[in-house]
Amino acid sequence: MHVLVTGAAGFIGMHVALALLKRGDTVIGLDNLNNYYSVALKQSRLQQIHEQASQQSFQFILMDVADREGIAKLFAEQPFDSVVHLAAQAGVRYSLENPLAYIDSNLVGFAHILEGCRQQRIKHLVYASSSSVYGANEAMPYSVHDNVDHPLSLYAASKKANELMAHAYSHLYALPTTGLRFFTVYGPWGRPDMAPMKFTKAILAGETIEVYNYGKHRRDFTYIDDIVEGVIRVLDQPATKNSAWNGKKPDPSSSSAPWRVYNIGQQQPIELLDYIAALESHLGRKAQLNLLPLQPGDVPDTFADVEDLVTAVGYRPTTSVDEGTRRFISWYRAYSRVDF
Ligand code: NAD
């Protein structure tokens, strides 16, 4: 397969690109290498991909998904089979201060990707949604059948908007799309703005960690390899048997149009203080904590119901937080020379 992976220099994008290359796919990786966090880390991830790919199997394109002409030209020139769209402005907290950063990348950029997929009639668009779409959901675990219309941040709103936009394209143009609501992803080459990397760095430096909601948040921490396995399995299964795909226009009122959304999460939420204890145990160092109240935009708990994913592709994440943290810390010790 010839697959476009957007956000390929990002945390999840790098691992997805590597997994696709490993099984023999050709990957076009696209990223704008923005400076939301360390560009050196993004370049190191790209270097990892280049080292493990042959020259023919991986090509990197420096481009912004908000570049309408650029994206249209790319789709016109490259015969992609499928697209894994991960490029986005991530981060809930950042969206409180910079809401407009989310419009260009997450809404305009997503529209360009949808349009490119429609024009090229690609087999499947898999894109990143987020557990944040559940907002202040009260029912646990979070199910894709819950009515989620109360996002608590513009980041969450942009991800929910992506699902709605994909729904319209799937129904109107029979474009197979699958949105994946990832739950707090961690692991090697992770994001420096997220707790695992930020806390590890601070613990090793003897610095104080700011812990919101007094550490009572529960997060469904999900190991990167489990996310990648889910993405690949979903990617390989474009649409349901009853799908209206095949180039015909579906009946817009039909529920058989190939639009899907799944959760991918570990299904074992733990309190942030327990997560910090796991880091302390693997690092052999105590953390210094500054316990603070809940921040605007933050949700108190996340907890994935993955039964729809299991039914569709026969897969559920399995890596325990203890094992995932052990692997993450072992990577961190080996690579902490990279400028995070
Ligand atoms: P990341 O920030 O590491 O990766 C995103 C990549 O996209 C970055 O390399 C960035 O440079 C690139 N990018 C951003 N805006 C772009 C634009 N306009 N044009 C081109 N490239 C652009 O984040 P990640 O953790 O790898 O997340 C990947 C996707 O998964 C994102 O859509 C994110 O919202 C979603 N997600 C992540 C998590 C998580 O826990 N990591 C949870 C839920 C959803």
Side-chain angles (χ1 to χ4, degrees):
M1 284 219 296
H2 195 60
V3 187
L4 171 66
V5 178
T6 72
F11 168 37
I12 301 173
M14 165 201 171
H15 288 279
V16 167
L18 283 172
L20 291 170
L21 288 164
K22 199 169 169 195
R23 71 180 199 168
D25 288 349
T26 307
V27 174
I28 308 298
L30 180 148
D31 204 293
N32 69 354
L33 297 182
N34 69 33
N35 63 0
Y36 168 59
Y37 62 76
S38 165
V39 176
L41 173 58
K42 293 182 183 182
Q43 277 162 340
S44 296
R45 292 186 186 125
L46 285 177
Q47 195 185 330
Q48 291 294 310
I49 305 177
H50 280 297
E51 279 171 15
Q52 294 185 43
S54 67
Q55 254 190 339
Q56 298 77 22
S57 61
F58 181 70
Q59 185 193 347
F60 177 68
I61 295 178
L62 180 63
M63 191 182 286
D64 197 304
V65 288
D67 172 356
R68 182 180 298 189
E69 274 107 51
I71 295 293
K73 192 159 173 279
L74 177 68
F75 274 91
E77 286 172 357
Q78 299 254 11
F80 302 123
D81 294 299
S82 305
V83 175
V84 181
H85 177 55
L86 302 167
Q89 179 57 55
V92 167
R93 210 151 285 134
Y94 186 72
S95 75
L96 308 185
E97 290 140 37
N98 296 286
L100 295 184
Y102 292 74
I103 304 300
D104 289 347
S105 295
N106 299 15
L107 299 180
V108 176
F110 189 70
H112 294 163
I113 294 295
L114 277 174
E115 188 54 19
C117 292
R118 170 173 93 97
Q119 295 290 348
Q120 289 306 305
R121 307 180 79 75
I122 65 123
K123 290 196 188 89
H124 197 185
L125 165 64
V126 175
Y127 63 93
S129 183
S130 165
S131 60
S132 65
V133 302
Y134 289 103
N137 213 47
E138 282 180 359
M140 294 275 162
Y142 295 168
S143 158
V144 290
H145 303 289
D146 295 345
N147 190 16
V148 286
D149 55 3
H150 37 251
L152 297 186
S153 65
L154 198 71
Y155 169 68
S158 73
K159 292 294 178 180
K160 182 65 199 170
N162 287 174
E163 295 178 2
L164 297 173
M165 292 158 81
H167 184 273
Y169 264 69
S170 288
H171 277 265
L172 287 174
Y173 309 119
L175 174 68
T177 66
T178 307
L180 296 175
R181 294 178 181 170
F182 300 144
F183 283 66
T184 316
V185 191
Y186 72 101
W189 300 100
R191 271 183 24 214
D193 61 321
M194 291 183 67
M197 191 92 111
K198 213 162 58 172
F199 291 180
T200 299
K201 195 176 177 183
I203 292 171
L204 288 175
E207 289 164 2
T208 301
I209 300 172
E210 296 199 330
V211 184
Y212 299 117
N213 199 19
Y214 307 104
K216 294 288 169 201
H217 279 13
R218 286 193 315 155
R219 286 290 176 270
D220 207 349
F221 286 96
T222 309
Y223 191 63
I224 183 67
D225 290 2
D226 291 353
I227 293 285
V228 172
E229 179 74 23
V231 169
I232 305 274
R233 286 197 188 220
V234 165
L235 181 69
D236 287 346
Q237 196 215 68
T240 59
K241 263 198 260 154
N242 299 327
S243 151
W245 179 245
N246 276 335
K248 292 188 209 119
K249 264 194 179 176
D251 170 0
S253 65
S254 156
S255 61
S256 63
W259 174 83
R260 302 179 302 184
V261 172
Y262 298 130
N263 289 332
I264 306 190
Q266 166 65 15
Q267 322 122 81
Q268 276 183 338
I270 66 164
E271 274 192 11
L272 211 52
L273 288 181
D274 292 331
Y275 181 72
I276 293 169
L279 286 177
E280 289 175 328
S281 132
H282 286 282
L283 288 167
R285 299 274 285 265
K286 287 302 276 179
Q288 295 170 37
L289 307 181
N290 179 17
L291 300 176
L292 296 166
L294 185 72
Q295 298 291 295
D298 273 354
V299 299
D301 296 300
T302 66
F303 182 179
D305 175 335
V306 298
E307 294 317 310
D308 281 16
L309 179 77
V310 174
T311 304
V313 297
Y315 178 70
R316 76 171 68 239
T318 52
T319 309
S320 69
V321 167
D322 188 54
E323 173 57 19
T325 303
R326 189 191 66 71
R327 291 189 217 165
F328 167 65
I329 295 299
S330 135
W331 166 82
Y332 190 93
R333 287 190 189 286
Y335 280 90
S336 53
R337 67 180 186 277
V338 176
D339 173 22
F340 299 144

